[in-house]
Amino acid sequence: MTGDSALRGIPIVWRHHCSMEKIVSTMNSIAHSTGLINGRIYRSAWDETPADSMIVAGGKVVWTGARADAPAAADIIDLQGATVIPGLTDAHIHLFAIAHARLQIPVSPRDAADIGSVLKLLVARAQTIAPGKWVYAAGLDENGLAECRLPTRRELDAAIPDHPVLIRRFCGHVAVANSAALRLLGIDDPIGDPEGGAFGRAADGGLDGSAKEAAAELFFRAAPPMDRAELIKALRLTIDDSAQLGIVAAVEAAVGFTTGFDAEFTIWNEIRGRAALPLRLGFMHQLDPHEATARGLTPTVDADWQCMTLKYFADGIVGARTAAVSEEFYDTPTRGFFMRDEAELQRTIVAAHGAGWQVAVHSVGDRATNCVIAAYETAQAAQPRENARHRIEHFFVPPAGGLARMQKLGALVVMQPSFLTRMRRSIAGAFGPRADSCYPGRSVIAAGVTYVATSDAPTGSWSPWDGIADAVGRAADSGTPIGPDEAITVREAIQSYTVGGAFAMKHESWRGTLMRGMAADLIALDRDPFVQDAASLRQTKVLMTMLRGEVVHNVLRPEWALGHGFGAG
């Protein structure tokens, strides 16, 4: 193990080996134990002497080492040479949005190469439903279309005149609608822009069908909801699919972002009341403190269903050029904007801190991030709290001196490395020669700030292996590396997804590594990620996922269960 941790300030503890008698006694007091054999078991990202066997019991790791030295276990899993690492935490993902998109027509660049192909997909859907029924689509990314622009209201009207159409850009911050949808939503040409949002306009000043940020939110909130039963089914499937990617814990990054807080939270609680989930879950509530109080919500730390975080949006995004930056975008004469009045945002952050919440703020531009850091400083000065672990989500354009201030606060930088590949064209267009300073990695770690890699799916790649590859390679396999000096190592990237994610959820004392006494949350892989080049990491397959000591995903051969008893007995 090296002391040069990717997460400075997070203790990585190698627990002292205790006697075999104590281990056996512990196992005897637990009804069931499972041995994992014939593997390459890394107890943490910094483990340089992996074990070949492990025993778990009572949901915890009770022993690791060489098979010849192992105590007996009731059941056996033959890993067949697979590599085992701690399970991954995606501390910023939109599971609800992924499920919601599964019920819509997919129009991503993988599905449609140009606007004409997008329209064909929408027409095909319209032909299967009665006139007047809504046509919903998701995943649109104009950067992947031949025209490099959004479809217009006029184009949608010509192709689908008899159905309201609503398209959600892959980021969730931009919408496109046709005239039928606008009429039903009560939106027409004279409407003004809401605070923190903007409607797109054609050359004649009329609405072109597009809407950004708060304006897009007006579309999404007012549109008829999806079928509830189908949405619950899709959400459960999304959770199951996350386990297959090696994710053992996830933080839903804004309850309320997709369809509104109350509608989403009700569905989440219905999911909770059903079968056990193969995922530990945390939630960021998109609520102001007084709104949380009115709903009887208080900060709650929990192993499986955690609600300790309030989420805010300081600014917009790079793709729509709505991020609040201090220098105009390279290709657009604007500096973006804030989602709400800066002073009001700061007061809200201070109030949330005072009420005991962890605060997470979407902040992309350096102007926005300076505002958020100042609010954290004000909050901490007014009411000091240890381990508040407030977060800045994205940190796309780092402000001068921002990392030193973050380090002093103990605040976390929560990144989405797969954006480097997903948003390559946007990054180049928005920042030009300044692009290499965007989305830092190495400088965050060097500053002693906790670096947490996440997906932000469906905006970023859902697969953590794409995120790990991009954190290491800086999107080199899709073109010129973006900010190669900001690359981090494979061990640092995996550390950020294991201990880093657990740290963001305040779970690091009991999960995130596979040392004795830690939670038996682990994954078996088809390759050793620590000896792979960055590009090949994308092809990593998860053969097995274990949560709380129970297998929740398995594609190893059926003979993995070999029966009873092994080891020294």
Side-chain angles (χ1 to χ4, degrees):
M1 175 185 172
T2 175
D4 186 19
S5 169
L7 296 160
R8 303 288 178 86
I10 299 180
I12 310 296
V13 180
W14 287 93
R15 296 175 180 240
H16 296 294
H17 291 289
C18 58
S19 69
M20 185 65 69
E21 291 79 6
K22 185 171 182 180
I23 292 172
V24 172
S25 174
T26 299
M27 291 172 59
N28 287 340
S29 68
I30 299 172
H32 183 80
S33 61
T34 301
L36 288 74
I37 63 171
N38 297 331
R40 187 169 176 82
I41 301 170
Y42 290 93
R43 287 151 287 207
S44 79
W46 302 107
D47 188 353
E48 295 177 353
T49 56
D52 63 33
S53 299
M54 170 185 288
I55 298 176
V56 303
K60 296 181 179 181
V61 176
V62 298
W63 180 89
T64 58
R67 182 179 181 184
D69 300 327
D75 292 325
I76 308 302
I77 295 176
D78 186 349
L79 294 167
Q80 305 161 27
T83 294
V84 170
I85 67 171
L88 308 179
T89 294
D90 192 335
H92 183 128
I93 186 172
H94 297 272
L95 297 167
F96 194 97
I98 296 171
H100 199 258
R102 290 180 115 144
L103 303 180
Q104 303 178 59
I105 305 303
V107 291
S108 75
R110 293 186 301 275
D111 306 296
D114 53 36
I115 290 174
S117 299
V118 171
L119 296 175
K120 286 179 181 178
L121 291 170
L122 300 176
V123 168
R125 172 57 176 164
Q127 291 173 343
T128 67
I129 58 178
K133 293 289 186 180
W134 283 73
V135 175
Y136 291 114
L140 183 68
D141 180 6
E142 72 281 7
N143 292 294
L145 299 178
E147 299 87 348
C148 295
R149 65 171 176 81
L150 299 171
T152 66
R153 170 187 182 180
R154 181 171 296 178
E155 289 168 330
L156 293 174
D157 288 349
I160 312 105
D162 300 324
H163 298 267
V165 176
L166 181 59
I167 308 173
R168 191 180 188 106
R169 192 176 185 269
F170 76 106
C171 61
H173 291 252
V174 177
V176 183
N178 70 350
S179 294
L182 293 176
R183 282 194 298 272
L184 290 171
L185 296 173
I187 296 172
D188 55 18
D189 289 344
I191 192 171
D193 290 339
E195 181 183 18
F199 292 104
R201 300 278 175 178
D204 63 3
L207 297 176
D208 68 6
S210 69
K212 300 177 181 179
E213 307 300 348
E217 197 168 293
L218 293 176
F219 289 13
F220 298 138
R221 297 291 184 272
M226 299 289 180
D227 180 85
R228 182 184 182 83
E230 289 184 3
L231 185 52
I232 290 172
K233 181 179 178 181
L235 184 53
R236 177 57 203 247
L237 182 61
T238 299
I239 292 169
D240 292 343
D241 287 348
S242 296
Q244 294 178 23
L245 291 171
I247 299 169
V248 298
V251 178
E252 177 70 1
V255 180
F257 179 68
T258 305
T259 63
F261 179 83
D262 293 320
E264 292 181 29
F265 198 53
T266 298
I267 288 176
W268 274 114
N269 279 302
E270 188 165 339
I271 286 276
R272 184 186 188 186
R274 299 189 177 192
L277 300 174
L279 208 59
R280 303 184 192 274
L281 288 170
F283 298 90
M284 301 182 193
H285 298 325
Q286 192 177 332
L287 296 172
D288 284 357
H290 72 275
E291 294 172 323
T293 299
R295 289 166 173 81
L297 299 172
T298 56
T300 305
V301 178
D302 185 82
D304 295 315
W305 194 267
Q306 179 161 288
C307 301
M308 68 173 192
T309 311
L310 296 184
K311 168 76 175 287
Y312 305 108
F313 288 82
D315 63 347
I317 59 173
V318 171
R321 307 300 189 263
T322 52
V325 293
S326 58
E327 186 175 350
E328 286 189 346
F329 289 106
Y330 186 70
D331 60 358
T332 310
T334 180
R335 297 193 302 136
F337 51 79
F338 282 79
M339 295 297 99
R340 61 201 294 182
D341 176 77
E342 295 173 57
E344 180 196 353
L345 172 64
Q346 291 183 322
R347 285 193 297 270
T348 301
I349 290 171
V350 171
H353 170 91
W357 293 96
Q358 180 189 52
V359 179
V361 183
H362 165 113
S363 186
V364 173
D366 56 336
R367 193 156 52 96
T369 298
N370 264 326
C371 172
V372 175
I373 295 174
Y376 287 162
E377 290 169 335
T378 299
Q380 192 65 16
Q383 188 170 335
R385 277 175 53 197
E386 288 189 15
N387 293 319
R389 299 187 193 178
H390 296 320
R391 309 166 40 147
I392 290 184
E393 317 296 302
H394 309 307
F395 206 77
F396 214 116
V397 183
L403 286 172
R405 295 163 68 195
M406 292 280 285
Q407 193 278 333
K408 187 175 180 180
L409 286 164
L412 286 57
V413 168
V414 183
M415 309 293 283
Q416 297 73 37
S418 71
F419 281 11
L420 295 169
T421 291
R422 281 282 181 100
M423 302 179 187
R424 171 180 286 278
R425 181 177 286 180
S426 281
I427 294 169
F431 300 109
R434 307 196 302 269
D436 279 350
S437 65
C438 294
Y439 240 63
R442 170 60 52 209
S443 59
V444 176
I445 294 168
V449 175
T450 299
Y451 173 94
V452 183
T454 67
S455 73
D456 194 18
T459 304
S461 173
W462 192 358
S463 170
W465 305 102
D466 285 338
I468 291 167
D470 280 330
V472 175
R474 303 292 293 186
D477 52 340
S478 62
T480 303
I482 300 172
D485 290 345
E486 292 294 343
I488 65 176
T489 69
V490 173
R491 290 186 184 272
E492 288 170 327
I494 290 178
Q495 171 83 347
S496 74
Y497 269 100
T498 53
V499 174
F503 187 80
M505 295 180 73
K506 301 187 178 182
H507 288 176
E508 79 283 357
S509 65
W510 58 270
R511 71 174 183 88
T513 72
L514 297 176
M515 303 309 299
R516 189 186 66 80
M518 299 292 276
D521 295 356
L522 58 88
I523 54 178
L525 311 175
D526 69 342
R527 67 197 67 203
D528 186 335
F530 301 115
V531 297
Q532 302 294 316
D533 61 89
S536 69
L537 289 168
R538 297 188 194 279
Q539 283 71 55
T540 300
K541 302 299 181 188
V542 178
L543 304 176
M544 184 184 75
T545 302
M546 178 178 281
L547 181 72
R548 311 179 194 98
E550 299 292 334
V551 175
V552 296
H553 162 66
N554 170 47
V555 293
L556 289 168
R557 292 193 299 270
E559 59 267 29
W560 66 268
L562 301 182
H564 298 283
F566 87 94

